[in-house]
Amino acid sequence: MLPPAYSLRDSGAWAVAQGGRMVKRKTIGFDDDSPRSNVVESVLQDSDDNDSGLIEGSETEEDIGFSYSDEEDIRTNGGATSKDSVDLSSFDLHLQHNLSKEEIDNQKNLKFSWGVPVIGVSNCKWIGTGENILEDFDTNSCHGLKAKLHEHWVDVSKTSGGKDINSSKQQMFFSLCSSYRDILHCNKRPFYLKGLEDISIMDAYIMHSLNHVFRTRDCVKKNDAKLSRLEEGADSERFRDQGFLRPKVLILLPLASIMHRVVKRLIQLTPSAYKVNVEHMDRFSTKFGGEEHKADKENGEEPESADLQKSSKPDDFQLLFEGNNEDDFMIGIKFTRKTIKLFSDFHTSDLIIASPLCLVNKIEETGSNKEKDVDFLSSIEVLIIDHADVIAMQNWSHVHTVIEHLNRLPSKQPRTDVMRIRPWYLDEHARFYRQTIILGFFSNPDINASFNHQCSNYEGKVKLMCEYKGVLHKVLPKIQQVYVRFNIDSIVDADDNRFDYFVKKVFPRIKDSDEGGIMLFISSYFEFIRIRNFLKSQDASFCLLGEYSTQKDISRARLWFFEGKRKIMLYTERSHFYHRYKIRGVKNLIMYSLPERKELYPEIVNVLDGSENTACTVLFSPLDKFRLERIVGTIPAKTMVASEKPVFVFCD
């Protein structure tokens, strides 16, 4: 932070030369030890070398040639006044807000204080902090969307059947995005489950991303023109419209095949005037496209059933993993006047799409190679995490690491005129202006923790809360499922309490039994390692099917278990998610921990089908409420957590 004496609003410190470039006239006093002063000083050292002096990154006339003449609602005159603030878009109002210390301090005390039912969905509601933005919501408009983007969106929708653009649900979600609040939507139907994907959600966040990028460029271009007409010594404070670097939108996705779908849809939703040419499209399709699908899933159509019958794997597995399964990928996308440039340099891109793993690798590279940097993360204003549930099956800690590295001061000199940088970037308050949108099929404690503790948008938060019917009806008849609740001393001790219950109550019965065919299903890899080490210490007869087991070990373990040469099999959720093995010979299923993904539960339990004298035991604690309600239903889950009796039996 800078001392109070320092102010970039000192109009005498700078003058405007020909062409609108800022030229240093006198020294600005600041604390040399402050991080902000170091960045400012670094920017000033080479300001005359930047030919544009105004644009983030290395720009050309083509890059900044967007027209803003078609915008009736945009007012980019810098700071809003009371007279014209009502005419500003949500983009302008959000970024031009002067954040007070009180607002920053209040971030720690935000409470979800209101709720509004979701249109067309009886079991869900939106809850939020601060002002209830949905109370008088107009469901018949896409508030804040640029006119050309809206017109093109309507045209694209008509071409593909007109299913979504006019729906209140889609317009409502876009307007939620346009409100610039942080959003957690963890009931988004994914494309790989039976039925149509909720493509309206993907369309809405793509349009929001395009809208943010194009409004940013319009703002810069318009202010460029105004600065060129200013007289020397005139106040240029109101023309602060940039960050340290150009990238403003970051989209995190789990798989390259999903990234391929999103980029194709993004290109499709970009108005024709802005995509006369799409550079490197062939390279993109070759690298990330994978196998060509017979059906156009971008339009919500499912592949022909004949294709899905070629494999014994479930349909959702085939649809999710049939394409490019690479989880280490990253691409920059840059918009110029008439061109979309794929594979643009990350530092001069407008939008970056990447996997969390790839970004974490790049972050780690900066520690060993000082020539490397991730400064392209310094000015992200919109972060979108789609398919968060799939990312959680990979490693959510990568997402946590990426978010921690967003909106930091750049490590190298950015090619940006310091007098065009918004003050809250220099004050290290950018994280309070960043909007984070998390989308997935379900949430979990890790996702909730990131949303609650790493998202600090001053606008507030909105999240979706739903009640679930459960998936017990998908379990084959006559399979009795016994749920046993164990007590916990505290959240910190929950894992130890689960392990102690297994060691003292469950394992003795296994050890004393002569019967084999016992499958121990374990959700967490750390739990898997703990149980493995315990069984080793007990000289138990067991085999392993974990996510890091080799194919040779897996084949051998499955054979040994089926033939009865091993009494116990340890099987992890991630191993099942990524491979969907059909395990033969299971007679006694013990779920040490419930699966995160509700659709996996009936698949696992149904392995008992065909066996005689079967048993199914599920361990749970009050902390498993979220997992429990997705499987047994919200109402039964509340009863099971609060009831005095610890045992519950389900049998259809």
Side-chain angles (χ1 to χ4, degrees):
M1 292 292 297
L2 295 177
Y6 173 70
S7 174
L8 283 175
R9 293 167 176 77
D10 181 3
S11 59
W14 296 83
V16 181
Q18 289 288 338
R21 187 170 67 185
M22 298 297 178
V23 180
K24 187 177 180 184
R25 286 182 54 184
K26 70 177 184 178
T27 302
I28 298 176
F30 47 70
D31 181 0
D32 292 336
D33 295 330
S34 70
R36 173 173 164 181
S37 66
N38 293 336
V39 174
V40 174
E41 188 176 41
S42 176
V43 174
L44 299 185
Q45 286 175 352
D46 199 28
S47 61
D48 289 341
D49 293 338
N50 185 355
D51 292 336
S52 69
L54 304 174
I55 308 301
E56 303 144 318
S58 181
E59 307 292 342
T60 66
E61 182 178 352
E62 180 189 16
D63 293 336
I64 60 175
F66 281 112
S67 171
Y68 51 84
S69 60
D70 63 302
E71 292 303 313
E72 300 86 0
D73 58 342
I74 191 167
R75 303 287 190 274
T76 51
N77 297 329
T81 65
S82 59
K83 180 180 179 180
D84 64 6
S85 62
V86 293
D87 297 325
L88 292 174
S89 69
S90 56
F91 167 88
D92 300 306
L93 292 172
H94 175 66
L95 297 182
Q96 293 175 12
H97 178 72
N98 293 319
L99 192 63
S100 67
K101 183 178 184 301
E102 182 181 2
E103 288 177 295
I104 294 176
D105 293 339
N106 288 340
Q107 288 294 314
K108 301 176 182 178
N109 303 316
L110 290 178
K111 303 290 185 182
F112 288 94
S113 57
W114 55 265
V116 174
V118 177
I119 297 174
V121 183
S122 60
N123 63 327
C124 295
K125 66 177 180 178
W126 289 106
I127 64 172
T129 64
E131 179 187 359
N132 185 349
I133 59 172
L134 300 180
E135 187 174 14
D136 299 316
F137 190 75
D138 181 7
T139 60
N140 297 315
S141 67
C142 291
H143 177 71
L145 183 61
K146 283 167 61 72
K148 282 189 175 180
L149 287 174
H150 185 266
E151 291 170 4
H152 183 68
W153 196 4
V154 172
D155 292 341
V156 170
S157 178
K158 289 179 180 178
T159 302
S160 59
K163 300 175 182 177
D164 296 312
I165 182 62
N166 294 318
S167 70
S168 298
K169 180 181 179 182
Q170 184 179 48
Q171 292 175 351
M172 183 178 191
F173 187 74
F174 173 82
S175 294
L176 271 179
C177 294
S178 187
S179 73
Y180 281 94
R181 282 153 173 81
D182 291 332
I183 301 172
L184 176 60
H185 183 321
C186 282
N187 195 34
K188 172 178 174 282
R189 187 173 184 84
F191 67 90
Y192 49 84
L193 291 184
K194 288 183 178 180
L196 297 179
E197 176 192 7
D198 193 354
I199 196 172
S200 63
I201 302 300
M202 182 175 75
D203 279 3
Y205 79 66
I206 288 176
M207 295 307 294
H208 177 56
S209 301
L210 292 173
N211 194 55
H212 189 87
V213 168
F214 290 173
R215 283 192 180 277
T216 299
R217 307 312 308 283
D218 284 346
C219 179
V220 172
K221 179 63 177 177
K222 195 168 187 177
N223 285 343
D224 284 349
K226 290 187 175 184
L227 277 168
S228 67
R229 297 192 296 269
L230 278 183
E231 296 180 0
E232 182 173 339
D235 179 21
S236 60
E237 172 66 20
R238 59 198 178 102
F239 299 107
R240 302 262 188 104
D241 52 17
Q242 300 181 27
F244 294 114
L245 274 85
R246 178 167 175 163
K248 292 294 179 289
V249 179
L250 173 64
I251 301 177
L252 297 182
L253 300 170
L255 300 172
S257 59
I258 297 177
M259 185 267 285
H260 183 257
R261 299 178 71 253
V262 171
V263 172
K264 286 184 66 177
R265 189 63 176 172
L266 181 145
I267 294 172
Q268 188 179 12
L269 291 175
T270 301
S272 301
Y274 299 150
K275 60 176 180 183
V276 175
N277 181 34
V278 181
E279 293 185 1
H280 307 301
M281 189 64 199
D282 290 342
R283 174 187 171 191
F284 173 77
S285 298
T286 300
K287 183 172 183 179
F288 298 116
E291 299 179 5
E292 290 296 324
H293 305 157
K294 291 185 178 181
D296 185 6
K297 291 193 297 181
E298 283 74 14
N299 291 331
E301 298 176 13
E302 290 187 283
E304 296 178 4
S305 59
D307 293 333
L308 299 180
Q309 292 174 358
K310 292 179 181 179
S311 172
S312 60
K313 307 290 187 182
D315 293 353
D316 66 290
F317 176 89
Q318 296 179 61
L319 290 172
L320 177 59
F321 294 112
E322 67 180 341
N324 187 333
N325 296 328
E326 179 64 47
D327 61 358
D328 187 357
F329 60 86
M330 184 170 174
I331 187 171
I333 301 175
K334 182 177 183 178
F335 295 90
T336 64
R337 180 162 47 186
K338 296 181 179 180
T339 301
I340 300 176
K341 297 183 178 181
L342 304 180
F343 298 99
S344 57
D345 180 84
F346 301 133
H347 294 76
T348 58
S349 297
D350 292 300
L351 185 148
I352 295 172
I353 303 180
S355 66
L357 174 62
C358 183
L359 284 175
V360 167
N361 289 338
K362 290 188 176 297
I363 290 169
E364 291 177 348
E365 286 177 6
T366 63
S368 57
N369 187 345
K370 298 304 180 183
E371 297 298 318
K372 302 281 188 178
D373 69 78
V374 289
D375 290 349
F376 49 80
L377 299 178
S378 66
S379 302
I380 296 299
E381 294 172 353
V382 178
L383 168 65
I384 299 169
I385 306 171
D386 197 3
H387 296 281
D389 54 298
V390 179
I391 296 176
M393 296 303 296
Q394 296 172 331
N395 192 340
W396 189 260
S397 67
H398 291 334
V399 176
H400 183 277
T401 300
V402 171
I403 297 178
E404 286 296 302
H405 282 78
L406 294 179
N407 306 122
R408 293 186 176 184
L409 294 175
S411 61
K412 297 181 180 179
Q413 175 184 330
R415 292 178 61 84
T416 306
D417 189 327
V418 68
M419 296 305 292
R420 296 290 291 274
I421 297 177
R422 297 185 187 274
W424 41 266
Y425 274 108
L426 300 172
D427 289 332
E428 297 185 77
H429 288 165
R431 70 185 184 278
F432 298 116
Y433 288 80
R434 185 192 72 238
Q435 179 188 32
T436 303
I437 302 173
I438 303 178
L439 307 166
F441 187 40
F442 65 84
S443 186
N444 67 15
D446 290 333
I447 296 174
N448 285 332
S450 290
F451 185 70
N452 292 334
H453 303 299
Q454 292 187 292
C455 302
S456 304
N457 190 340
Y458 79 84
E459 295 276 11
K461 298 179 180 180
V462 179
K463 70 177 180 179
L464 191 67
M465 299 293 290
C466 296
E467 293 187 350
Y468 298 89
K469 297 180 180 179
V471 294
L472 294 182
H473 62 281
K474 296 183 179 181
V475 176
L476 296 175
K478 299 182 180 180
I479 297 179
Q480 190 178 74
Q481 305 147 69
V482 180
Y483 281 71
V484 181
R485 189 186 68 224
F486 60 91
N487 296 323
I488 59 172
D489 300 325
S490 66
I491 295 177
V492 175
D493 297 325
D495 289 340
D496 291 336
N497 294 150
R498 186 186 301 271
F499 179 72
D500 290 342
Y501 186 88
F502 173 80
V503 170
K504 297 176 181 178
K505 301 293 185 179
V506 179
F507 182 71
R509 295 199 300 268
I510 296 175
K511 186 176 182 180
D512 296 339
S513 173
D514 295 330
E515 293 290 332
I518 302 169
M519 175 187 284
L520 278 176
F521 178 85
I522 303 173
S523 177
S524 163
Y525 183 72
F526 298 105
E527 294 173 339
F528 172 80
I529 295 299
R530 191 174 195 178
I531 295 297
R532 181 201 65 183
N533 293 342
F534 171 74
L535 293 180
K536 280 185 177 180
S537 70
Q538 299 297 310
D539 294 325
S541 171
F542 70 98
C543 56
L544 307 173
L545 253 70
E547 50 260 44
Y548 300 111
S549 302
T550 65
Q551 189 58 51
K552 181 179 179 180
D553 289 340
I554 290 171
S555 299
R556 183 171 56 218
R558 293 173 67 186
L559 180 61
W560 283 347
F561 184 73
F562 176 66
E563 294 179 346
K565 295 179 179 179
R566 293 293 185 272
K567 183 177 179 180
I568 304 169
M569 170 180 284
L570 268 61
Y571 192 31
T572 65
E573 179 177 5
R574 290 185 69 210
S575 181
H576 186 72
F577 176 73
Y578 283 108
H579 302 289
R580 306 298 174 91
Y581 295 120
K582 288 190 173 181
I583 311 299
R584 298 179 298 166
V586 181
K587 299 177 182 178
N588 184 0
L589 172 63
I590 300 173
M591 286 198 170
Y592 182 86
S593 48
L594 285 163
E596 287 272 18
R597 306 189 66 88
K598 65 179 182 179
E599 72 272 18
L600 300 187
Y601 179 83
E603 291 183 14
I604 297 298
V605 176
N606 287 341
V607 300
L608 293 170
D609 184 42
S611 300
E612 297 180 357
N613 300 320
T614 60
C616 176
T617 304
V618 181
L619 306 184
F620 74 97
S621 77
L623 293 181
D624 294 323
K625 180 182 175 182
F626 291 135
R627 298 190 190 196
L628 193 64
E629 69 173 353
R630 291 196 291 268
I631 293 172
V632 305
T634 299
I635 295 177
K638 290 179 180 179
T639 301
M640 294 167 68
V641 168
S643 175
E644 292 184 1
K645 66 175 185 178
V647 180
F648 307 86
V649 180
F650 294 91
C651 184
D652 291 337

